Amino acid sequence: MALEKIAVFSASIAVVGGSTLAGDVPIPTFTDETSMRLSASPSVGEADISEKDYGLGDFDNDGDVDIISARRIALKINIGQPLPNTLFMNESGVLTDRTADFAPGLLTPMRSRDVAVADFNEDGWLDALVVHGPSTVPTLLVNLCAKEGAWLGFEERADLLPLGFAVDAWNVSTGDITGDGFDDAFVGVRLNDDRLLVNLGNDKGGVWLGFSDESSRLGANANTTAVRSSVIVDINGDGDMDLIEGQTCCDGIVRLIPNDGVGNLDGVPQNIITGLAYNFALGHLDGDGNLDILGVRNALDQIRLSTGPQGDGVGWGPTIDLPGSNGFGSIVRVADLNHDGTDDFLVCDLDQEFPENCTRRLNIYFNSGVEPYLIQGYPTPAAWTPNGTSDVAMLDLDQDGDLDMLIGWCTGQSIFMQDGSPEFCDVNGDNVMDIFDLLIVLANWGKCLDCAADLDASGVVDILDLLIVLSLWGPCR
């Protein structure tokens, strides 16, 4: 965050509105602005009844977040008419359908299930990989960058994928598994072995060489009977990227597969959450700097706190049941939705495998900092917790410092603008910015053990956080 933005940020965290839960957890409210913030034909816009999966990124490098919507008819054992996907460009706070203009490769109807965004060729512009079912070649979109200040959009490049790479893909995640500086892609497959696409990097002329199929690096761990969620992350802090996946095999397990240091994921997995656990998300819950986990189960969801690296894996505390969770959750998104310096978790409810069931709703859990850590923010359903939610994208559309939401649900697609989080103007929650808050910032300098001290949410406590403390000095106002 630039120094000139300090004043703007300071104002944004002192907005008053909404309410609070026990422990002074700020709970924001939202206003439906779909009609003015979503510009698209009804079938891919406000009246889009498809199941959706969002991929976010600043594709045109203009400083705001754009979205690719991967769409499909409800699974129903792969029956149903394929659908085109959609590119929404953020144009002055309006998500505008620019698929035909900038990503015509998305217009080919598919049964798309997931989308990953990464700079595959390391040219400073984000690319995308959209995966489909049942037996279909993924759609690889390479960013054409800009010419004379005008963004050129995406080009579909099937030739940069391995020949014959047609899979019944369920999930895709990206990260540098081989350690060469280029992002690879893990593809979770619905009914066959999972696959690993290794990025070949650039040739001497700087031309990207695409991907090779090196699924053998997964060994026996490729046999999962469908991975519904995955992330590539250095969870054990040893410098190489590991795989965490929520897999269907064996009644549902979320497990960690450590990287052996040379790009192989064929070692002994570490089970994290078991018993009908299919989806998950990582985030910071207790402020110790380690990534914790929420496992979404066909039962009460469960939290486990990381105690830090332990051999090739991670030490985990006991499972903590999440009160009020309703089973059959799906995609989980994590962000600081209420702007209090902690991670919140949004659990979508539309099951990804069985025929569409829109009787459950989006659950938004805010981080309280104490066990069980996540508190249901809206125990009474609100307009912004609709039934049958397949995905939710959080982005600051109006540039006011608060996160807004694009929600894809059974009978439509809606944009809810945040009205502003309740008052938050200090670190320790005593409603005055004083020497005690300053001491917390100094104690966390250069790190983020107590992330409430990271006031600008940059991931590290630094001079910008100190300046925010000084600018808000005194009682909340």
Side-chain angles (χ1 to χ4, degrees), residues 23-43:
D24 295 323
V25 179
I27 304 297
T29 57
F30 297 82
T31 299
D32 189 342
E33 295 188 9
T34 308
S35 61
M36 67 182 73
R37 298 276 181 182
L38 188 60
S39 177
S41 66
S43 63

Side-chain angles (χ1 to χ4, degrees), residues 80 152 181 214 300 312 355 386:
L152 301 179
E214 299 189 22
L300 282 177
D312 289 333

Side-chain angles (χ1 to χ4, degrees), residues 225-273:
T225 319
V227 169
R228 298 198 193 186
S229 53
S230 66
V231 65
I232 297 172
V233 60
D234 181 13
I235 190 70
N236 56 13
D238 63 358
D240 48 51
M241 304 293 275
D242 312 298
L243 175 68
I244 300 178
E245 60 181 17
Q247 52 124 337
T248 306
C249 174
C250 316
D251 292 327
I253 295 173
V254 176
R255 64 180 189 172
L256 161 64
I257 302 175
N259 193 319
D260 69 353
V262 292
N264 296 311
L265 299 169
D266 56 359
V268 178
Q270 178 189 34
N271 293 342
I272 306 173
I273 295 179

Side-chain angles (χ1 to χ4, degrees), residues 54-362:
Y54 298 130
L56 279 64
D58 182 5
F59 300 128
D60 55 358
N61 277 353
D62 67 348
D64 53 37
V65 175
D66 313 300
I67 297 177
I68 290 175
S69 177
R71 306 168 65 237
R72 68 178 181 275
I73 294 294
L75 183 61
K76 299 176 184 174
I77 316 175
N78 286 320
I79 297 173
Q81 181 181 358
L83 300 174
N85 297 316
T86 312
L87 170 66
F88 291 112
M89 298 304 296
N90 188 338
E91 299 180 355
S92 301
V94 178
L95 293 180
T96 306
D97 179 8
R98 297 296 186 195
T99 315
D101 301 317
F102 295 121
L106 291 177
L107 293 174
T108 302
M110 297 286 185
R111 297 181 181 91
S112 301
R113 294 201 185 120
D114 200 5
V115 54
V117 174
D119 182 6
F120 291 123
N121 55 4
E122 288 295 313
D123 65 353
W125 296 78
L126 291 173
D127 313 299
L129 184 65
V130 186
V131 297
H132 325 286
S135 181
T136 310
V137 177
T139 300
L140 175 60
L141 299 176
V142 177
N143 200 318
L144 295 174
C145 310
K147 184 177 181 180
E148 297 178 355
W151 185 52
L152 301 179
F154 291 108
E155 179 182 17
E156 184 180 1
R157 294 293 304 273
D159 59 303
L160 293 174
L161 293 169
L163 185 65
F165 192 82
V167 295
D168 188 9
W170 193 292
N171 169 269
V172 60
S173 55
T174 61
D176 183 13
I177 290 173
T178 60
D180 63 355
F182 289 85
D183 277 348
D184 311 299
F186 168 79
V187 180
V189 177
R190 183 167 178 257
L191 295 176
N192 294 297
D193 285 354
D194 302 319
R195 309 291 282 273
L196 184 63
L197 292 172
V198 169
N199 195 325
L200 297 174
N202 297 332
D203 64 16
K204 292 182 179 180
V207 176
W208 186 40
L209 300 175
F211 291 105
S212 66
D213 185 349
E214 299 189 22
S215 303
S216 61
R217 291 175 179 266
L218 298 171
N221 291 326
N223 185 4
T224 60
T225 319
V227 169
R228 298 198 193 186
S229 53
S230 66
V231 65
I232 297 172
V233 60
D234 181 13
I235 190 70
N236 56 13
D238 63 358
D240 48 51
M241 304 293 275
D242 312 298
L243 175 68
I244 300 178
E245 60 181 17
Q247 52 124 337
T248 306
C249 174
C250 316
D251 292 327
I253 295 173
V254 176
R255 64 180 189 172
L256 161 64
I257 302 175
N259 193 319
D260 69 353
V262 292
N264 296 311
L265 299 169
D266 56 359
V268 178
Q270 178 189 34
N271 293 342
I272 306 173
I273 295 179
T274 61
L276 304 176
Y278 303 115
N279 293 275
F280 73 93
L282 302 174
H284 297 284
L285 289 174
D286 59 353
D288 67 355
N290 296 318
L291 281 171
D292 310 302
I293 192 166
L294 167 64
V296 177
R297 305 165 65 237
N298 181 14
L300 282 177
D301 299 337
Q302 291 181 332
I303 290 166
R304 291 193 77 178
L305 303 179
S306 168
T307 58
Q310 187 177 85
D312 289 333
V314 171
W316 298 99
T319 57
I320 302 171
D321 287 339
L322 183 58
S325 53
N326 59 6
F328 277 104
S330 57
I331 291 172
V332 190
R333 301 301 186 189
V334 179
D336 183 6
L337 187 60
N338 61 358
H339 224 320
D340 67 350
T342 65
D343 284 338
D344 308 307
F345 288 66
L346 289 77
V347 181
C348 301
D349 64 282
L350 198 60
D351 188 86
Q352 298 163 287
E353 182 174 15
F354 296 102
E356 192 171 74
N357 179 341
C358 302
T359 64
R360 299 176 299 274
R361 68 181 177 100
L362 174 67

Side-chain angles (χ1 to χ4, degrees), residues 30 38 52-57 65-70 88 90 95 115 331-335 337 346-348 362 364 384 386 389-397 402-409 413-418:
F30 297 82
L38 188 60
K52 294 162 280 285
D53 190 290
Y54 298 130
L56 279 64
V65 175
D66 313 300
I67 297 177
I68 290 175
S69 177
F88 291 112
N90 188 338
L95 293 180
V115 54
I331 291 172
V332 190
R333 301 301 186 189
V334 179
L337 187 60
L346 289 77
V347 181
C348 301
L362 174 67
I364 302 178
W384 52 89
T389 300
S390 54
D391 202 359
V392 54
M394 288 167 283
L395 66 165
D396 184 5
L397 270 175
D402 292 312
L403 290 175
D404 312 302
M405 297 188 291
L406 170 67
I407 303 176
W409 49 300
Q413 194 164 216
S414 303
I415 293 178
F416 285 93
M417 304 298 292
Q418 187 169 163

